[in-house]
Amino acid sequence: MPRAPRGEAEGDLVTSWLRTTVPTLWGATVSAALAAVAPHLPADLAQPLEALLSSDSTTLVVVVGAVGAWHATWRLLEQRAPRWLVRLALGSPRTPSYAP
């Protein structure tokens, strides 16, 4: 079975790591921003949001949801967005290849 050249395989590893880590950081940032903004919202919005973020387990669900939404949105937009913006949002404008 042919293997990818060492430099190419390492590049794919870095790309896949970036495209996993960067959206995760954005999802955590969105969740932290929600928690920071919640006390400043009108009571009818703040109370449900604060209740949602008051438990570690529901906060984790919010973070996972934010990461998933961030990644899915940018995967849809990446073909139309400038490369620099895709790099900022996903960590790399290049999709790694997972050849056997």
Side-chain angles (χ1 to χ4, degrees), residues 27-28 31-32 35 49-66:
S31 299
L49 186 56
E50 287 174 341
L52 183 67
L53 297 174
S54 66
S55 161
D56 288 343
S57 59
T58 56
T59 300
L60 180 60
V61 170
V62 170
V63 171
V64 169

Side-chain angles (χ1 to χ4, degrees), residues 1-6 8-9 99-100:
M1 205 178 337
R3 295 179 58 125
R6 184 169 172 88
E8 185 179 320

Side-chain angles (χ1 to χ4, degrees), residues 9-97:
E10 289 170 351
D12 284 337
L13 180 64
V14 170
T15 300
S16 69
W17 182 84
L18 284 170
R19 287 179 68 103
T20 299
T21 304
V22 172
T24 303
L25 291 171
W26 278 111
T29 301
V30 167
S31 299
L34 285 173
V37 168
H40 305 288
L41 295 173
D44 59 329
L45 294 174
Q47 288 173 345
L49 186 56
E50 287 174 341
L52 183 67
L53 297 174
S54 66
S55 161
D56 288 343
S57 59
T58 56
T59 300
L60 180 60
V61 170
V62 170
V63 171
V64 169
V67 170
W70 182 269
H71 200 269
T73 300
W74 279 99
R75 291 286 296 173
L76 290 172
L77 295 175
E78 75 178 310
Q79 297 302 318
R80 292 178 290 252
R83 289 177 59 88
W84 66 268
L85 190 56
V86 174
R87 185 181 312 261
L88 180 67
L90 294 176
S92 175
R94 189 171 76 80
T95 305
S97 63

